[in-house]
Amino acid sequence: MPPRTLRAHQRADLHVIDLTTGTTRLVHSSSELLFEAPNWTPDGRWLVVNGDGLLFRIPVEGGEPEEIPLGDIPPINNDHVISPDGSTVYVSADDGHLHAVPFATGVPRRVSNDAEPGFRHFLHGISPDGATLAYIGLFEAPDGSVTTDVYTVPTAGGADVRLTDDPFAYDGSEFGPDGQWIYVNSERASTEPGHAQLFRMSVDGATFEQLTHDERVNWFPHISPDGRRIAYVSFESGTLGHPEDRDVIVRLIEADGSIRDVAHLFGGQGTMNVPSWAPDSTAFAFVSYPIES
């Protein structure tokens, strides 16, 4: 699938919201490159985004994107995470696999294992100790039916562990800061598609807890490093999947369980697919895609 591109008169705007002051700051805007899915580096200096099948970093205070070398791996998508020590970026590529790329060398190493035809890996989380990746395994059967389940795999390479095996759809599998839970969005609370809610599951897949209970379609839970808040993207009721170019709300689950809106924007896919919190938990990043009339 070719990388997304901007529509006529459309921009990609990278924002940071400061939860201490309540202010939102525009970090970078482009009418040429459709970039997506900001990560925040552990040293607090950079935001990492993908665009046009490549990876870029942008200074948190603003500036021009700098391409991050990825060696000879195929074009990447918007599923990428950074190791807790800041040394390595892990990416999902168009070959359906997960790759590790040290920032210092740019020499990639494939992490994921060979699987049956029709199986693809989509990366969303890394454990606090940097030893394990959480990903969504998507399998498209010969009859065209699609199933998604939550898996883990060691960052050093090794056997996959399948954590779910049921008919429900899953996405956005991300470790919590205590390493004991994986946060996901899923259709497991509904009997028909278009009602995704947020859940957390124990790392062995044995226990599920539902976190949101509303009529909107909620995707990509991102847990603050201090474990106190969860940021996510909320679509209107009945939305199938996580499409681009929609009116969405970026919402926050507070420590007391209350939910509040922090941004209404035109976006969706690409807005906040991966962990995007500042390391001190005071801010997070997201992307909007406004179209000028």
Side-chain angles (χ1 to χ4, degrees), residues 10-53:
Q10 188 172 34
R11 302 190 316 271
D13 288 348
L14 176 61
H15 308 270
V16 164
I17 182 165
D18 186 323
L19 297 175
T20 302
T21 63
T23 59
T24 300
R25 176 172 56 88
L26 179 64
V27 176
H28 180 72
S29 179
S30 177
S31 58
E32 299 177 355
L33 176 67
L34 191 156
F35 55 81
E36 305 176 292
N39 301 125
W40 206 306
T41 58
D43 62 8
R45 297 177 57 200
W46 303 92
L47 293 167
V48 173
V49 298
N50 65 280
D52 199 24

Side-chain angles (χ1 to χ4, degrees), residues 4-15 34-35 216 233-236 242-250 263-272 286-293:
R4 289 172 57 205
T5 57
L6 293 168
R7 295 161 59 179
H9 310 294
Q10 188 172 34
R11 302 190 316 271
D13 288 348
L14 176 61
H15 308 270
L34 191 156
F35 55 81
R216 294 186 64 84
V233 180
S234 183
F235 295 79
E236 66 179 10
H242 50 101
E244 71 274 12
D245 295 340
R246 300 292 180 94
D247 289 320
V248 299
I249 306 171
V250 173
H264 290 247
L265 56 97
F266 191 67
Q269 172 72 293
T271 288
M272 204 168 59
F286 61 91
V287 183
S288 64
Y289 301 96
I291 299 176
E292 297 178 352
S293 57

Side-chain angles (χ1 to χ4, degrees), residues 16-20 40 224-225 229 276-285:
V16 164
I17 182 165
D18 186 323
L19 297 175
T20 302
W40 206 306
S224 59
R229 291 163 159 159
S276 60
W277 280 92
D280 64 1
S281 299
T282 64
F284 62 86

Side-chain angles (χ1 to χ4, degrees), residues 100-185:
V101 186
F103 286 110
T105 67
V107 178
R109 169 180 58 87
R110 201 181 90 179
V111 176
S112 53
N113 300 297
D114 289 323
E116 58 188 317
F119 188 94
R120 295 174 61 83
H121 305 72
F122 293 95
L123 178 62
H124 286 278
I126 187 167
S127 60
D129 62 5
T132 307
L133 298 177
Y135 71 90
I136 298 297
L138 184 151
F139 175 63
E140 184 173 358
D143 64 2
S145 61
V146 174
T147 57
T148 53
D149 280 293
V150 181
Y151 294 77
T152 60
V153 66
T155 54
D160 299 277
V161 177
R162 185 173 186 169
L163 299 181
T164 62
D165 187 4
D166 56 50
F168 305 115
Y170 295 93
D171 208 344
S173 49
E174 184 175 317
F175 280 96
D178 62 3
Q180 300 304 304
W181 297 92
I182 294 175
Y183 292 72
V184 298
N185 56 265

